[in-house]
Amino acid sequence: MDEIIGIVLSRYPAGKKEGLLPILQEIQEEKGFLTGEILNEVSAYLDIPVNKIYGVAAFYDQFRFKPHGRFHIQLCNGTSCYLHGSFPLLRDLEKQLKIKAGSTSRDGKFSIEIIPCMGACEQSPVIKVNDTSYNKVTQEDLRKIIRTIKDKSE
Ligand code: FES
């Protein structure tokens, strides 16, 4: 068994189904995304059929089955950001990068994730690219950000 998975599982009692969500969350935090192998390990440990675990993981937006792109863009769509124009920004972002929110481009360069609130509502709308935050983002700002990451990704 993978060491990280073993460490996470050891924090939860075997066979207790209540541990499923926190286990998946912790493993994803450590590994970045979930794989079939991970789901099999969790299935054996909690004694839950793997197809049920897959169903749960697929139901929640927070779980990923693919790694983030080299440029991972998080766009806040909380109330304040929404009221300050995050939705048109998202549409623009999806159009420019040719991917939908929640997915990663085929070449692995870009991924988009929607965040419920980044905790900077007074700066809305907020976007983060990897570790860099952009506040009060306008359509023009977004186009510059996209141009920059596209250039860097070449
Ligand atoms: S709603 Fe976007 S930072 Fe809070």
Side-chain angles (χ1 to χ4, degrees), residues 76 78-81 116-121 124 126:
C76 179
T79 308
S80 180
C81 286
C117 178
M118 291 195 189
C121 308
S124 59
V126 181

PDB file of all heavy atoms in Angstrom, residues 76 78-81 116-121 124 126, ligand 1:
ATOM      1  N   CYS A  76     -13.512  32.447  -7.801  1.00  0.00           N
ATOM      2  CA  CYS A  76     -14.512  32.465  -6.735  1.00  0.00           C
ATOM      3  C   CYS A  76     -15.884  32.797  -7.330  1.00  0.00           C
ATOM      4  O   CYS A  76     -16.016  33.716  -8.122  1.00  0.00           O
ATOM      5  CB  CYS A  76     -14.136  33.509  -5.687  1.00  0.00           C
ATOM      6  SG  CYS A  76     -15.363  33.573  -4.376  1.00  0.00           S
ATOM      7  N   GLY A  78     -18.597  32.900  -5.086  1.00  0.00           N
ATOM      8  CA  GLY A  78     -19.418  33.171  -3.910  1.00  0.00           C
ATOM      9  C   GLY A  78     -20.327  34.368  -4.181  1.00  0.00           C
ATOM     10  O   GLY A  78     -20.213  35.016  -5.229  1.00  0.00           O
ATOM     11  N   THR A  79     -21.193  34.677  -3.238  1.00  0.00           N
ATOM     12  CA  THR A  79     -22.201  35.723  -3.459  1.00  0.00           C
ATOM     13  C   THR A  79     -21.582  37.059  -3.869  1.00  0.00           C
ATOM     14  O   THR A  79     -21.979  37.663  -4.864  1.00  0.00           O
ATOM     15  CB  THR A  79     -23.055  35.915  -2.190  1.00  0.00           C
ATOM     16  OG1 THR A  79     -23.538  34.637  -1.808  1.00  0.00           O
ATOM     17  CG2 THR A  79     -24.202  36.863  -2.429  1.00  0.00           C
ATOM     18  N   SER A  80     -20.590  37.494  -3.101  1.00  0.00           N
ATOM     19  CA  SER A  80     -20.008  38.800  -3.382  1.00  0.00           C
ATOM     20  C   SER A  80     -19.331  38.814  -4.758  1.00  0.00           C
ATOM     21  O   SER A  80     -19.518  39.751  -5.551  1.00  0.00           O
ATOM     22  CB  SER A  80     -19.001  39.166  -2.287  1.00  0.00           C
ATOM     23  OG  SER A  80     -18.458  40.418  -2.565  1.00  0.00           O
ATOM     24  N   CYS A  81     -18.575  37.779  -5.046  1.00  0.00           N
ATOM     25  CA  CYS A  81     -17.903  37.712  -6.353  1.00  0.00           C
ATOM     26  C   CYS A  81     -18.926  37.606  -7.480  1.00  0.00           C
ATOM     27  O   CYS A  81     -18.774  38.229  -8.528  1.00  0.00           O
ATOM     28  CB  CYS A  81     -16.912  36.552  -6.381  1.00  0.00           C
ATOM     29  SG  CYS A  81     -15.420  36.903  -5.422  1.00  0.00           S
ATOM     30  N   PRO A 116     -16.258  28.290  -3.637  1.00  0.00           N
ATOM     31  CA  PRO A 116     -17.451  28.961  -3.086  1.00  0.00           C
ATOM     32  C   PRO A 116     -17.144  30.325  -2.453  1.00  0.00           C
ATOM     33  O   PRO A 116     -17.936  31.235  -2.561  1.00  0.00           O
ATOM     34  CB  PRO A 116     -17.975  27.999  -2.029  1.00  0.00           C
ATOM     35  CG  PRO A 116     -17.128  26.788  -2.065  1.00  0.00           C
ATOM     36  CD  PRO A 116     -15.969  27.019  -2.986  1.00  0.00           C
ATOM     37  N   CYS A 117     -16.025  30.496  -1.798  1.00  0.00           N
ATOM     38  CA  CYS A 117     -15.609  31.812  -1.261  1.00  0.00           C
ATOM     39  C   CYS A 117     -14.149  31.711  -0.884  1.00  0.00           C
ATOM     40  O   CYS A 117     -13.739  30.768  -0.236  1.00  0.00           O
ATOM     41  CB  CYS A 117     -16.433  32.224  -0.037  1.00  0.00           C
ATOM     42  SG  CYS A 117     -15.895  33.817   0.659  1.00  0.00           S
ATOM     43  N   MET A 118     -13.387  32.701  -1.314  1.00  0.00           N
ATOM     44  CA  MET A 118     -11.948  32.675  -1.014  1.00  0.00           C
ATOM     45  C   MET A 118     -11.621  33.495   0.222  1.00  0.00           C
ATOM     46  O   MET A 118     -10.455  33.701   0.540  1.00  0.00           O
ATOM     47  CB  MET A 118     -11.152  33.187  -2.201  1.00  0.00           C
ATOM     48  CG  MET A 118     -11.203  32.246  -3.385  1.00  0.00           C
ATOM     49  SD  MET A 118      -9.920  32.683  -4.550  1.00  0.00           S
ATOM     50  CE  MET A 118     -10.328  31.665  -5.932  1.00  0.00           C
ATOM     51  N   GLY A 119     -12.642  34.034   0.861  1.00  0.00           N
ATOM     52  CA  GLY A 119     -12.419  34.786   2.100  1.00  0.00           C
ATOM     53  C   GLY A 119     -11.873  36.180   1.857  1.00  0.00           C
ATOM     54  O   GLY A 119     -11.263  36.768   2.747  1.00  0.00           O
ATOM     55  N   ALA A 120     -12.049  36.720   0.670  1.00  0.00           N
ATOM     56  CA  ALA A 120     -11.571  38.076   0.378  1.00  0.00           C
ATOM     57  C   ALA A 120     -12.693  38.836  -0.312  1.00  0.00           C
ATOM     58  O   ALA A 120     -12.481  39.508  -1.330  1.00  0.00           O
ATOM     59  CB  ALA A 120     -10.328  38.010  -0.504  1.00  0.00           C
ATOM     60  N   CYS A 121     -13.894  38.728   0.252  1.00  0.00           N
ATOM     61  CA  CYS A 121     -15.096  39.255  -0.419  1.00  0.00           C
ATOM     62  C   CYS A 121     -14.998  40.747  -0.739  1.00  0.00           C
ATOM     63  O   CYS A 121     -15.546  41.195  -1.745  1.00  0.00           O
ATOM     64  CB  CYS A 121     -16.330  38.987   0.436  1.00  0.00           C
ATOM     65  SG  CYS A 121     -16.487  37.271   0.924  1.00  0.00           S
ATOM     66  N   SER A 124     -13.690  41.388  -4.208  1.00  0.00           N
ATOM     67  CA  SER A 124     -14.328  40.624  -5.273  1.00  0.00           C
ATOM     68  C   SER A 124     -14.462  41.422  -6.575  1.00  0.00           C
ATOM     69  O   SER A 124     -14.578  42.649  -6.526  1.00  0.00           O
ATOM     70  CB  SER A 124     -15.694  40.135  -4.801  1.00  0.00           C
ATOM     71  OG  SER A 124     -16.501  41.229  -4.449  1.00  0.00           O
ATOM     72  N   VAL A 126     -12.597  37.700  -7.246  1.00  0.00           N
ATOM     73  CA  VAL A 126     -11.243  37.228  -6.962  1.00  0.00           C
ATOM     74  C   VAL A 126     -10.918  35.996  -7.811  1.00  0.00           C
ATOM     75  O   VAL A 126     -11.746  35.110  -7.967  1.00  0.00           O
ATOM     76  CB  VAL A 126     -11.112  36.851  -5.464  1.00  0.00           C
ATOM     77  CG1 VAL A 126      -9.711  36.371  -5.146  1.00  0.00           C
ATOM     78  CG2 VAL A 126     -11.499  38.017  -4.577  1.00  0.00           C
TER      79      VAL A 126
HETATM   80  S1  FES B   1     -17.406  35.607  -2.365  1.00  0.00           S
HETATM   81 FE1  FES B   1     -15.554  35.652  -3.457  1.00  0.00          FE
HETATM   82  S2  FES B   1     -14.056  35.952  -1.945  1.00  0.00           S
HETATM   83 FE2  FES B   1     -15.901  35.734  -0.838  1.00  0.00          FE
END
